Amino acid sequence: MSASIIAIDAMGGDYGPCCIVPASLSCLAEYSSLHLVLVGQTPLIEEIIARYPGVDRQRLHVEHASEVIAMDERPAQALRGKPDSSMRVALELVRNGRAQACVSAGNTGALMALSRYVLKTLPGIDRPAMMAAVPTMAGHCHLLDLGANVDCSAEHLYQFAVMGAVAAETLGTVQPRVALLNVGTEDIKGNQQVKLASNLLQQAAGLNYIGFVEGDGLYRGDADVVVCDGFVGNILLKSSEGLASMISSRIEALFSQSIGSRMIGALALPVLRRLRTELAPAQYNGASFLGLQGIVVKSHGSAAGEGFQSAIRRALIEVRENLPQRLHGRLEHLLL
C-alpha cells in the first residue's frame, strides 16, 4: 500500500498539542502506511513527542509555524494577519504537494477561509460545503452543509447535493439516495430556495434524488445524503449531540436511583455500553470540506484524542480514494 501523507494542524482546537499530538501518534502506530507532518511550534511539539518512546520518526516530521489562530479569531484577521499560522502552513503543504490532506480542530471560519484562499475550489463549485456522517437507524447518513454557508441559494443547495452524492458513492454507498431537509415531505412545503433546489435536482440525470425528508426521516435512515443550508445543518448537528448526551445522562441517573434500578442497570450495562460506543460523537467526528482542490477535514474543536483520531482516519480514507479527483471527474457531468 502506498504511503499517505497528512498534515496536522497541531495547535488548533480547545486542547491544542497536548491532545492532538498523542492522538496523531496513536494513528501513526495504527497505520503502517501513514506519514504525518505535525505543524506548529516545534519546541512544544517535540517536548510532547519525547514522552512517547518508540515513535517511528521516519514517518513523522515536524514543520515549524510560529503563529496560532485563536478559536474566536475573525476569519479575515486569520487570512490577512497570520501568514505563518499552523493552520495556513498545513494547508500550504497540501497545495505544494508535500501532503495529501490537512486535518485541523481549529477555528472553523478561519479554516474555511484559508482553505478557499490556499487550495481554491473545484471548477463549477461556488462554495465548499462541510459534510459529516451522522448515525441513523439504518447505519449512517451524510449530512451537509454543517455551517460553512449560513445563507444559500438554490444553486448552492444543488451543488451540495451533487458533491454529497459523489462523495457518498466514493465512500462506499451504491446509488446514494439524496434528499433535501424540509419542514414537510409535500412539494408545497418549504421556503423558496428549497423548492427551487428541488426543481433543479429533479432534472439532474444520474442523481438518485428522492425529494424532501423531515428531521425524523434523517434519523430513520430514509436517505443516504441529506442537504440543507449551513445554518440549519449546524443547529441540527449540535442539537443532536446535546440530545444524545442528555439521554445518556438521564439513563444513568435512572439506573442509580434505587437498589432495584441499580440491579437492572447492571444487567443492562453491556447493552448500554455498546449503544454508547455506536452513537458516540467521537466515532463520527470529522467533517469533510467538499469542493476544494485538496482534502481538508475539520475535527470538532472540543474533540478528545479518540475523536481527533476519527478525523485523521476520515482524511486517510479520502486520500486513498483520491476524493477531489473523483469529485472533479463526476461533477462536470452533473453540474448544471
Side-chain angles (χ1 to χ4, degrees):
M1 186 178 295
S2 60
S4 300
I5 306 172
I6 297 176
I8 306 292
D9 171 15
M11 309 303 294
D14 295 345
Y15 306 117
C18 64
C19 169
I20 292 173
V21 173
S24 300
L25 297 181
S26 294
C27 272
L28 192 70
E30 184 178 354
Y31 299 97
S32 60
S33 63
L34 177 62
H35 292 239
L36 294 179
V37 183
L38 299 180
V39 183
Q41 297 171 1
T42 299
L44 180 55
I45 295 172
E46 289 288 1
E47 179 185 346
I48 298 173
I49 294 174
R51 302 171 192 166
Y52 298 85
V55 174
D56 185 356
R57 292 307 297 257
Q58 296 295 317
R59 296 188 290 120
L60 180 68
H61 174 71
V62 178
E63 186 82 9
H64 183 67
S66 61
E67 298 173 314
V68 178
I69 295 174
M71 294 298 282
D72 59 353
E73 197 160 331
R74 292 182 179 275
Q77 173 61 24
L79 185 61
R80 294 193 293 265
K82 292 188 174 179
D84 196 42
S85 69
S86 56
M87 185 183 290
R88 182 165 185 159
V89 172
L91 290 166
E92 288 174 345
L93 290 174
V94 177
R95 181 191 63 192
N96 298 335
R98 292 181 54 197
Q100 297 161 290
C102 168
V103 179
S104 176
N107 182 314
T108 303
L111 183 61
M112 178 57 75
L114 283 167
S115 296
R116 293 184 67 180
Y117 179 77
V118 173
L119 298 177
K120 313 304 181 187
T121 58
L122 290 168
I125 297 298
D126 296 327
R127 301 180 182 181
M130 292 175 62
M131 183 186 80
V134 296
T136 70
M137 293 172 64
H140 68 269
C141 170
H142 297 283
L143 177 66
L144 72 163
D145 178 41
L146 297 178
N149 305 280
V150 175
D151 297 308
C152 297
S153 66
E155 177 65 24
H156 293 143
L157 294 175
Y158 174 84
Q159 292 179 12
F160 297 167
V162 171
M163 290 193 295
V166 174
E169 190 173 35
T170 300
L171 296 171
T173 305
V174 179
Q175 291 188 320
R177 298 162 298 163
V178 180
L180 288 169
L181 188 64
N182 201 0
V183 295
T185 58
E186 301 88 352
D187 291 340
I188 60 171
K189 295 290 183 67
N191 59 31
Q192 191 68 12
Q193 286 82 1
V194 168
K195 292 177 182 178
L196 290 173
S198 183
N199 290 335
L200 294 175
L201 288 167
Q202 289 172 7
Q203 301 171 31
L207 201 66
N208 186 16
Y209 176 62
I210 62 171
F212 298 140
V213 296
E214 296 179 86
D216 57 344
L218 185 154
Y219 292 106
R220 280 198 306 269
D222 290 352
D224 302 302
V225 176
V226 173
V227 179
C228 58
D229 64 55
F231 184 86
V232 171
N234 190 269
I235 291 175
L236 175 62
L237 184 68
K238 298 291 177 60
S239 299
S240 302
E241 292 173 351
L243 178 62
S245 178
M246 183 272 290
I247 292 174
S248 177
S249 297
R250 286 287 185 91
I251 290 175
E252 289 181 0
L254 287 171
F255 280 139
S256 63
Q257 285 182 348
S258 65
I259 294 176
S261 61
R262 283 197 291 271
M263 292 177 63
I264 296 173
L267 293 172
L269 188 59
V271 175
L272 293 175
R273 283 177 174 170
R274 180 178 175 184
L275 180 62
R276 174 178 288 181
T277 299
E278 290 179 353
L279 300 182
Q283 297 291 326
Y284 296 90
N285 184 51
S288 305
F289 281 13
L290 298 181
L292 295 168
Q293 296 185 41
I295 296 170
V296 178
V297 174
K298 171 66 172 69
S299 169
H300 201 300
S302 63
E306 183 182 352
F308 195 80
Q309 289 178 56
S310 295
I312 295 176
R313 293 187 189 103
R314 186 172 185 90
L316 185 58
I317 292 171
E318 294 185 12
V319 168
R320 289 175 175 173
E321 295 295 332
N322 207 5
L323 184 57
Q325 285 73 20
R326 294 181 68 167
L327 271 172
H328 176 60
R330 292 288 308 281
L331 289 176
E332 59 182 355
H333 300 296
L334 290 171
L335 290 178
L336 296 176

